Structure formats: structure tokens, C-alpha cells
Amino acid sequence: MDEKIRSILTEHGRFPVDVAGIEDDEDLFQAGMTSHASVNVMLALEDEFDLEFPESMLRKSTFETVAAIRAALVELAAS
Amino acid sequence: MTEGSESHGVRSSPLWFGPEDRPLFGWLHVPEFGQARGGVVLSPTLGIEAVNARYTFRCLADRLAKAGFAVLRFDYDGTGDSAGADDEPGRVDAWLRSIRTATALVKGLGLFRVGVVGLRMGATLAAEIFGSGSTSINDLVLWDPCASGRTFLREQSALWAFTLGAEARGDGSIETPGLVYDKDTVAELSALVIANGDGDGPMADRVLVLMRSGRTGDRRMNERLAMPHAERRDIRGQEDLVDVHPDAATVPEETVAAIVEWLALGAETATNVPIDPDAVGRTRATVVVAPDGASIEERAVSLGPLGLFGIMTSRSESGDVSGGEGDNLAPAEVSPTILFFNAGVIDHVGPARLWVRLGRQWAQAGLQSVRFDLSGIGDSPVHAGQSSQVIFSTEGLDDVADVLRAVGPGDPSNAVLVGLCSGAFYSIAGAIDEKVRGLCALNPILTFKLPVADSNEAWATQEAPEGRRVISGGMKGWVRTMPAYDRINRIVKRLPSPAWWIINRVAVETPPALRLKKAVDAGVNVLVIAGTDEGRWLKGGEGGTLRQLERTGRFRMEVIPGLEHGLFEASTREVAVGILTEHVTRNFGAPG
């Protein structure tokens, strides 16, 4: 899962830095991901994992770190 | 009225069309030689995406006209310069009706082919109309279509939540940048779907589907669009058009070229038909009928020697909008003319369409206004050698003087200037130079180094341009050239107010408060509305100066906690609108 998340972040996150160098708990927005890019990350994650983030998860904190994204995906998969 | 402008083989003319009591606004672009082989309607997307794409649509219209087409780009009912408001009921039907009306106008030109280009939600709306088979067209371009209104709303609300940390509104309405979709509109829009089973018509004789490279697209939409006569292509550059702040949007050249080429191929054997743009549509319109029965009238105006584009809004007691041709812009009454400035590269409709709304609202109180585009922005031309879509330009300062003279040839000072961000910058410069009656500066930027608020990542810093006229107010040159300037600048912004007093006198060319003082000293009645960050920056170290200004009775500063810099956030925007409206109508409203 982590590999897919990082691959999507690389493709859609429009980071000015190498995603491989971003720690799991490092703030992705601070690392350069814009709000617009984060929406594209969200859509790509939904495509990749065949799910839809519910309205309650459509908040900045869901996509703030690699760890937060992973936690959200795990939670959705479990439900 | 304004004459159609001609450049590079294209004549473009502003016009109102459709129902007299609910006019739509648009631009007709035709080949300069007066004949066209086909017609094209450009259906925009919605909300902030439409703001981003406005300049691209202008470029596309020009290029299609050069390729021999008559092109109508227009604003849906309740959007842009068209009549109506975004919070009225029946929005989706109104938008669908707008496309039908625009298509009927182009069909009425008697051309051999008619096509429609729909971008994002414009494509979804067009697919709804033409997929039902109720109206037939020859060519349809679905440009990065939204699979449904729901997907569009979801993306837009997520964008807003990620930008501002906004929570769901809880009443069924959805807030997106600059626009709130009420519960009914959300339901109507969500029901709009490009999917198999939702109308099985062919949509057009030829269909071009332009999908973002790397996106598979919604399965049901893909099935619906997999028609034998539909061609699907991947496009690049879409992210740089709609997935950025308006100031950073760029024209997707490859896509524009592909659309022109595809439409031209379809019209290869079509015969040219004469077009008289002066005979199409109307040059002025009644956009609102006030509660007291007065008509609020709008007309396109050409300002200054360059012919900057503007729209004048005024109250007409008689309700007669048929006469009074000509460019006599001088206000008949003593009341000043309100001038609304571009905010960044956002065109004359203003942030969140605020200039349209306020212009029409204030006209009911007897105030005449002009919302206009500086050179190179919106629908205005460029000066020789000038680039388009440049926020701060030295030409812009000259434009302000030209516009004031055009609007008030007898007394250029009889004006109130209203601007946000960069628009406030130009307003302040114009107010000082021309000693106008009033200035309303919202989140003013007085230097080329913008104070970037944390929640407002996209307002990037602007470097001072080279030009014949130096705009002062930023950090002194020796400060800007320091190796660690950006880091120092971030630290400096967090310093307490007393430290700013010293910084203003050592490192800043003209401290913000002193710039405002110049306007007040010139006799201008000044209102400043600022958010928390902007207010702190303006007040930093200059509390004494500002209190001194307030004692003159000509200066008022209101800080609205949390006011979003671009006024795209609804609740704080309404607070600002309330203060602004009260101030303007009380100080400058028509007597009696």
C-alpha cells in the first residue's frame, strides 16, 4: 500500500522535492503539495483502491501525511 | 457602446442576447473579412474553474475565428456579466437554457455547420442537452468532461476544505471557492450524469472527447461516450489550466490547437456565409428591475486611447434602454462613478463575481459604476509589446489615469476606486495621483512582496518588473538582494509591532501606512478592509500614523478576523460586503 501511495503522490502531488525523501509523518502540504494537487491525489487514490472517501474524510488532515493517508485507506477497507 | 475590437484578423464584439428580461452576456468573434464557414459556441465550466479558463476561452475564440468560424463565448444565467444571481432557484435549468439560447443564436446566423465546445461542467451540461436529441448540432467537443455534477461538486468542495480547512456546512449546501451551491442546486447538479442510459442520442454528427492524460475516466461515462462517431484523445496541460490558482493558469496550447484543427477539419467543405456582427444581439441591456420599478442598465464601454473594456452600470428611471448611443461616459449627476479594478488576473466581474453584484446593487441607490479590465487582463487589449495576464505592470498605472479621464472627462477626480489585492494597489496609486473622492482598498497589496497568508498558498510573491515607471513601496533594493532574504522576510513578518517601526524606516521604501497617508493627505476618503494577516502587516509599527489618519475623518480601517485574502470565502466576504456597501452608500450615494 505504501508503495502505491507514494507512487500516486509522485504522479499527482506536484512536489518540488523527491517524494522518496518525505518521511511517513512529514506534513505533505509543508513539503509543497498544493490544495489543488491534493484533490488530484484524492481522486487517484480512489481510482487505485476502488473506493470513495466519505464526506467526513474530505478534510485536509486526511491527506496531511503518508501515514494519515494509509490510516484512512485502512479504515475504509475495514468498513 | 463600444465598437468591436479588431486584431490579428479577428473582430470581437460584446453583446447581450436572449430574453429581454433575462439577458445573457457574451462575445462574438468573427473573421475580420466578414464571412464564416461555421459557428461555434463555447460553454464554460462553473465557479473558480470558469475564472481560470476565461482567458483560454478568449484565446480559443480568437483562434477559431482566424480559422474561419463565428464564435460565441458567453456567461450562463446568473454568472459573469449575464443577468441573474447564483443564489436564485432553478440554477441547472437556467444553465441548460443558456446553452440552448446561445446555440440558437449561432444557428440563426445561417451557417452551414454549428459546433459546441464544453469545458468540464460545460461539457456535462452540453452532453445533457445534445444527448437527449432535442437539439441537433454538427460538432461537439467534450473537453475534460465531469462524469457528473456530483463529481464536480465533490472535487470543488474538497479543494475548499483542503485550502481553508473548511467543514461541511451541514444544511445540504456546498461551498466552493467563490460560490455556494444551495441545497436544491446541489441536488439538481448531482443528478446530471454523463452515463449510459441517460439519453442515448448521438449528441452530434461528430464528437471529440478530450480526456486528461493519465486518468481512466468514469466507467459509465466512458461507456456512454464510446460511440462510433466519437473520437477520444488524451490531452496534457489541463492541470495547469484548472488545478491552479487563477493567477497561475496557463493556456493549454496543444489542446487549443487540437480543438481548432478538429473543428476546421469538419468544416473543410463548408461554404463561407456573410456575417454582420453589428446585427447580432444587443449593445445594452436591463439586467435588474429595482423594487421601485427603475431599470438597472448595463452597456459595454471602450475606455481611453487603447480601448480598455468595461461595463457601465447605471440606473435608468425611464426604463428605456433603446437610446443614448455613444461613448459619453460623463456622469450626469454630482455622484461619483465607482470604478472596480481587477483582482490579480481575475477579470472585471471581480472576485466571486462581487463587482457585478455590487455594481447592480449600488446602482439601485443611484450610483453609477464601471467595472473594467486593465490592459492585458480579461477582455482588454494589450499595449504594444505588453504581455497578457501580468498582474503588476507599469502600463496598468497609465491605464488608471486613462480610465479616470474617460469616465470623467470634465473631472477625473469625481470617482471612487474599489480594488482588492493588486486592484487595491492600482486604486491607491490612482487615488494619490488623481486626488479622487474615494478609495476602498480591500486586502491591499502595497508592495511587490506579498504577505502570503498560511491558508492562502497560491498568492505567490511578485517581483518588481522593469519599466519606465518605478513602483515603490517594497523592501529596499539592498534588502531584497540579501542572500537569505526570503528567510529574513518570514522572520520579520512575525516580529512585534514596535520592531516594524524601525524596519519600515530602515528597510522599506515606503511603509504601507505612509502610502495610505499620501492618499488621505490628497483629500481622498479612504476605507481599508483587511484580514488578520493583512491588517497586521498594514498596522505594523504604524499604529500612531493610522490613529492620526483616523482623526482626519477621512480614514477608516476595518480588520475582519479570518477574512480570506481573495474574498472567495463566503461568510467573511459578506462581512466585508456589508461594511463596503454601508460606507459607499453613506458617503457617496445619490442625494435624496
Side-chain angles (χ1 to χ4, degrees):
Chain A
M1 182 184 282
D2 277 12
E3 197 176 320
K4 284 180 179 174
I5 293 172
R6 285 184 178 275
S7 167
I8 285 168
L9 287 171
T10 301
E11 191 175 350
H12 299 280
R14 310 188 87 175
F15 286 94
V17 297
D18 186 356
V19 171
I22 299 176
E23 300 292 331
D24 266 17
D25 58 354
E26 193 174 334
D27 191 316
L28 296 173
F29 293 96
Q30 291 288 332
M33 182 169 70
T34 65
S35 301
H36 284 95
S38 63
V39 174
N40 284 327
V41 166
M42 177 190 88
L43 296 173
L45 289 165
E46 292 183 337
D47 268 357
E48 177 64 38
F49 294 98
D50 194 24
L51 47 78
E52 184 175 296
F53 290 100
E55 193 175 297
S56 60
M57 283 189 175
L58 295 187
R59 55 181 63 190
K60 196 172 183 176
S61 57
T62 306
F63 303 92
E64 208 148 32
T65 64
V66 172
I69 292 172
R70 183 173 56 234
L73 292 173
V74 167
E75 184 184 332
L76 283 176
S79 63
Chain B
M1 62 171 281
T2 181
E3 296 296 324
S5 60
E6 294 182 22
S7 64
H8 309 297
V10 176
R11 178 174 178 188
S12 55
S13 313
L15 74 160
W16 276 271
F17 63 100
E20 293 272 355
D21 62 347
R22 197 76 184 187
L24 298 171
F25 179 81
W27 282 81
L28 185 65
H29 300 239
V30 299
E32 197 176 10
F33 63 92
Q35 297 189 4
R37 55 177 167 159
V40 180
V41 174
L42 303 185
S43 290
T45 181
L46 299 172
I48 193 71
E49 287 189 347
V51 175
N52 281 36
R54 198 162 169 116
Y55 181 66
T56 288
F57 263 35
R58 179 182 168 186
C59 293
L60 175 60
D62 273 342
R63 288 178 208 180
L64 282 168
K66 277 181 207 169
F69 292 93
V71 185
L72 178 66
R73 60 184 170 99
F74 72 103
D75 300 323
Y76 299 127
D77 181 283
T79 74
D81 294 307
S82 289
D86 54 49
D87 58 354
E88 292 177 275
R91 288 300 78 210
V92 175
D93 278 348
W95 299 332
L96 292 169
R97 200 164 50 244
S98 300
I99 297 176
R100 290 193 188 96
T101 303
T103 306
L105 181 137
V106 173
K107 279 189 167 185
L109 298 176
L111 301 160
F112 285 94
R113 291 192 77 86
V114 171
V116 172
V117 178
L119 172 65
R120 300 279 294 147
M121 272 311 296
T124 316
L125 291 163
E128 174 74 11
I129 293 171
F130 302 112
S132 71
S134 60
T135 306
S136 63
I137 53 172
N138 302 105
D139 305 296
L140 175 63
V141 179
L142 302 176
W143 181 354
D144 190 17
C146 299
S148 68
R150 179 178 177 274
T151 58
F152 171 77
L153 288 171
R154 203 163 164 273
E155 289 175 27
Q156 292 293 296
S157 61
L159 170 64
W160 208 217
F162 299 166
T163 303
L164 285 190
E167 299 285 336
R169 293 166 68 87
D171 60 356
S173 66
I174 288 180
E175 180 167 3
T176 66
L179 196 55
V180 176
Y181 297 87
D182 66 25
K183 184 183 173 184
D184 292 338
T185 304
V186 168
E188 291 163 13
L189 205 52
S190 298
L192 215 58
V193 179
I194 303 178
N196 228 0
D198 295 326
D200 55 1
M203 296 188 180
D205 301 336
R206 301 165 72 231
V207 177
L208 176 63
V209 182
L210 300 172
M211 297 295 291
R212 287 199 202 197
S213 179
R215 276 198 188 173
T216 53
D218 178 81
R219 178 183 57 78
R220 294 204 307 155
M221 178 176 75
N222 291 342
E223 287 172 0
R224 173 68 178 95
L225 298 178
M227 300 175 288
H229 59 290
E231 180 185 346
R232 177 171 167 145
R233 294 186 197 173
D234 282 355
I235 52 169
R236 292 181 300 176
Q238 196 68 359
E239 294 81 3
D240 295 324
L241 174 63
V242 292
D243 291 345
V244 291
H245 189 273
D247 293 348
T250 56
V251 179
E253 296 289 349
E254 278 183 24
T255 306
V256 167
I259 292 169
V260 174
E261 184 189 24
W262 186 82
L263 288 168
L265 188 66
E268 218 168 27
T269 58
T271 309
N272 275 326
V273 170
I275 298 281
D276 178 9
D278 292 334
V280 182
R282 307 182 290 276
T283 57
R284 52 178 61 201
T286 296
V287 289
V288 177
V289 176
D292 63 3
S295 296
I296 305 306
E297 178 193 332
E298 293 197 334
R299 62 187 173 115
V301 291
S302 177
L303 304 164
L306 187 65
L308 298 169
F309 177 71
I311 290 183
M312 175 171 280
T313 308
S314 56
R315 179 186 168 102
S316 170
E317 299 298 340
S318 66
D320 176 15
V321 297
S322 60
E325 295 291 325
D327 270 350
N328 177 18
L329 304 177
E333 301 87 13
V334 179
S335 292
T337 298
I338 311 293
L339 290 182
F340 293 111
F341 285 69
N342 301 111
V345 298
I346 296 173
D347 66 273
H348 56 270
V349 305
R353 203 183 175 225
L354 199 54
W355 300 162
V356 176
R357 177 182 153 194
L358 292 180
R360 292 173 183 176
Q361 183 184 333
W362 294 353
Q364 295 181 39
L367 284 163
Q368 174 177 267
S369 69
V370 175
R371 54 183 186 269
F372 73 100
D373 291 316
L374 294 163
S375 55
I377 295 177
D379 291 309
S380 279
V382 291
H383 295 273
Q386 185 188 8
S387 297
S388 292
Q389 301 291 92
V390 174
I391 297 173
F392 292 105
S393 71
T394 50
E395 289 89 348
L397 292 169
D398 298 332
D399 293 341
V400 176
D402 289 341
V403 168
L404 284 166
R405 276 160 184 71
V407 170
D411 181 9
S413 71
N414 192 25
V416 177
L417 313 187
V418 181
L420 166 74
C421 184
S422 64
F425 171 87
Y426 285 112
S427 301
I428 292 166
I432 294 169
D433 288 349
E434 304 293 340
K435 300 179 173 55
V436 297
R437 286 181 60 182
L439 162 69
C440 300
L442 290 80
N443 281 337
I445 294 305
L446 303 175
T447 80
F448 280 178
K449 278 286 180 188
L450 312 189
V452 182
D454 291 343
S455 61
N456 192 24
E457 64 199 23
W459 291 95
T461 55
Q462 303 286 328
E463 294 297 338
E466 292 180 8
R468 63 186 182 281
R469 189 168 174 178
V470 176
I471 301 164
S472 62
M475 291 290 183
K476 288 180 178 172
W478 67 267
V479 183
R480 289 202 301 268
T481 57
M482 288 171 73
Y485 171 71
D486 285 337
R487 186 177 301 172
I488 293 168
N489 199 32
R490 282 198 295 272
I491 295 167
V492 158
K493 282 194 297 187
R494 290 180 172 79
L495 292 175
S497 187
W500 264 102
W501 189 91
I502 299 168
I503 292 164
N504 278 341
R505 274 143 191 84
V506 174
V508 177
E509 284 179 355
T510 307
L514 297 186
R515 195 148 178 80
L516 294 170
K517 184 176 183 300
K518 280 187 183 179
V520 175
D521 288 346
V524 182
N525 180 316
V526 176
L527 167 68
V528 175
I529 298 177
T532 310
D533 290 345
E534 293 85 353
R536 183 169 179 269
W537 175 68
L538 288 168
K539 285 181 172 177
E542 300 296 340
T545 306
L546 295 180
R547 282 191 293 276
Q548 185 190 340
L549 292 183
E550 281 169 352
R551 283 195 289 272
T552 66
R554 295 194 302 277
F555 180 80
R556 176 183 175 192
M557 179 166 171
E558 298 285 349
V559 175
I560 301 172
L563 180 68
E564 191 266 329
H565 184 80
L567 300 191
F568 287 115
E569 194 277 323
S571 63
T572 52
R573 178 174 69 244
E574 292 312 307
V575 177
V577 164
I579 293 169
L580 189 56
T581 297
E582 181 275 328
H583 180 87
V584 168
T585 53
R586 178 166 52 82
N587 287 285
F588 309 109

